[in-house]
């Protein structure tokens, strides 16, 4: 496969799409700081999903947003009138931008808790967990690290029958994600999909290019030969589960009862 970029998504196109979405959804944004990320196609797709009727209703719910970033999703979540929002970021400085954006958009954040936490180490129980997990630039050997972490461990912060809502690229393997969600007790569906040209920095990572060529249906080629990824917003409900009591637990119970 020729890995020469033909017409990747440019920064100018990204900014134009962001400005269009922000205007359509009436989101105001202050000048961003050096640590802040301008939303990319993953974030755009999540914005469309959350602003519309695509995902589970959030009114009256306790919502955990992992990686609040510049607060664009925080604002949209808040407009659904949840009971509470816990917005997390790795560093306190990043949460300052989230707070500024909420204030700039005249959102009363009295029901919002801002927490500096490392991914799922936030504690508490929630009705809905929302995230745009890192993938291509995740910083781990396993590029699916944060996706798999959500699937394996979000049950620790989700209430029974709670919802996990996140976005991922086709390059992470959509069917693999759906299969792993099922294996871990979730009923999952694709709530919304969108397509986007590859970003230019994808081509700068030879290991990522090799990886993508091993993933079924990782991308498509348009008529001009551009690589196109499919972004999927996945909604997964955690099903009830009663663990099987081990023999040791049964013996302990019998001994306690006899005493």
């Amino acid at each position: 496969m020729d890995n020469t970029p033909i017409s990747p998504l440019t920064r100018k196109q990204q900014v134009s799409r962001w400005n269009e979405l922000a205007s359509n959804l009436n989101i105001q944004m202050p000048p961003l700081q050096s640590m802040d990320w301008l939303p990319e196609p993953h974030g755009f797709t999540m914005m469309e999903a959350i602003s519309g009727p695509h995902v589970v209703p959030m009114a009256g719910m306790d919502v955990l947003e992992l990686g609040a970033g510049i607060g664009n999703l925080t604002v949209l979540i808040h407009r659904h009138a949840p009971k509470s929002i816990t917005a997390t970021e790795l560093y306190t400085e990043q949460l300052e931008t989230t707070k500024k954006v909420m204030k700039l958009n005249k959102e009363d954040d009295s029901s919002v808790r801002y927490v500096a936490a490392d991914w799922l180490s936030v504690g508490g129980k929630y009705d809905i967990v929302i995230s745009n997990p890192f993938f291509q630039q995740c910083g781990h050997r396993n590029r699916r690290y944060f996706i798999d972490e959500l699937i394996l461990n979000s049950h620790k912060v989700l209430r029974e029958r709670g919802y996990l809502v996140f976005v991922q690229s086709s390059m992470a393997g959509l069917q693999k994600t759906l299969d792993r969600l099922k294996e871990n007790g979730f009923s999952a569906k694709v709530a919304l999909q969108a397509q986007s040209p590859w970003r230019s920095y994808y081509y700068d990572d030879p290991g990522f290019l090799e990886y993508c060529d091993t993933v079924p249906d990782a991308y498509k080629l348009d008529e001009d030969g551009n690589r196109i990824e499919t972004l999927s917003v996945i909604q997964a409900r955690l099903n009830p589960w009663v663990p099987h009591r081990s023999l040791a637990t049964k013996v302990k119970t019998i001994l306690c009862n006899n005493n």
Side-chain angles (χ1 to χ4, degrees):
M1 175 66 69
D2 182 6
N3 291 324
T4 304
I6 298 176
S7 182
L9 183 72
T10 66
R11 174 75 174 183
K12 183 178 179 180
Q13 290 171 322
Q14 180 184 344
V15 171
S16 175
R17 179 59 176 145
W18 161 245
N19 289 335
E20 177 188 6
L21 262 180
S23 175
N24 291 342
L25 299 176
N26 192 27
I27 296 179
Q28 306 297 316
M29 192 64 56
L32 300 183
Q33 305 302 309
S34 59
M35 295 181 68
D36 300 325
W37 284 61
L38 181 70
E40 296 189 332
H42 283 71
F44 300 156
T45 308
M46 281 292 279
M47 289 173 70
E48 292 181 15
I50 291 175
S51 63
H54 306 287
V55 298
V56 60
M58 289 177 261
M61 299 293 182
D62 292 314
V63 179
L64 170 61
E65 182 190 6
L66 294 173
I70 64 169
N72 53 313
L73 294 183
T74 317
V75 169
L76 295 175
I77 293 168
H78 189 263
R79 290 175 181 173
H80 285 279
K83 180 180 178 181
S84 72
I85 301 174
T86 298
T88 75
E89 263 299 346
L90 188 58
Y91 301 107
T92 303
E93 293 83 356
Q94 293 169 297
L95 288 170
E96 290 304 315
T97 299
T98 313
K99 294 177 184 178
K100 289 178 183 177
V101 171
M102 289 290 285
K103 183 177 181 180
L104 184 62
N105 286 273
K106 298 180 172 57
E107 302 288 337
D108 177 7
D109 67 352
S110 57
S111 63
V112 180
R113 186 168 65 108
Y114 301 98
V115 180
D118 187 1
W119 206 228
L120 286 166
S121 61
V122 62
K125 287 286 186 178
Y126 306 89
D127 301 298
I128 304 171
V129 173
I130 293 176
S131 185
N132 175 6
F134 285 111
F135 173 57
Q136 191 263 342
Q137 295 181 327
C138 75
H140 290 271
R141 185 187 298 270
N142 173 16
R143 296 182 188 271
R144 287 181 49 97
Y145 180 91
F146 288 103
I147 297 171
D148 290 336
E149 180 76 1
L150 282 176
I151 295 171
L152 291 170
N153 289 316
S154 60
H155 69 91
K156 296 177 181 178
V157 295
L158 272 174
R159 295 189 175 112
E160 191 175 273
R161 296 187 175 87
Y163 286 89
L164 174 62
V165 180
F166 64 100
V167 62
Q168 76 158 60
S169 170
S170 50
M171 295 180 291
L174 175 60
Q175 192 58 52
K176 177 181 285 190
T177 293
L178 295 175
D179 289 343
R180 288 186 177 177
L181 283 164
K182 183 177 181 180
E183 290 169 358
N184 286 275
F186 289 91
S187 297
K189 69 175 185 178
V190 176
L192 182 68
Q193 286 188 317
Q195 294 189 326
S196 175
W198 271 29
R199 280 148 261 183
S200 58
Y201 60 80
Y202 287 0
Y203 293 94
D204 297 334
D205 184 345
F208 184 65
L209 295 173
E210 292 177 8
Y211 168 84
C212 290
D213 285 335
T214 69
V215 178
D217 303 315
Y219 58 88
K220 298 178 181 179
L221 297 177
D222 68 11
E223 58 185 12
D224 296 319
N226 298 306
R227 296 188 183 191
I228 307 296
E229 64 179 319
T230 299
L231 303 170
S232 300
V233 175
I234 298 168
Q235 176 176 295
R237 190 178 193 185
L238 182 61
N239 297 315
W241 179 66
V242 178
H244 177 70
R245 291 201 307 168
S246 67
L247 178 60
T249 302
K250 291 180 180 179
V251 171
K252 184 177 180 180
T253 301
I254 293 172
L255 292 175
C256 289
N257 290 338
N258 288 340
N259 291 332

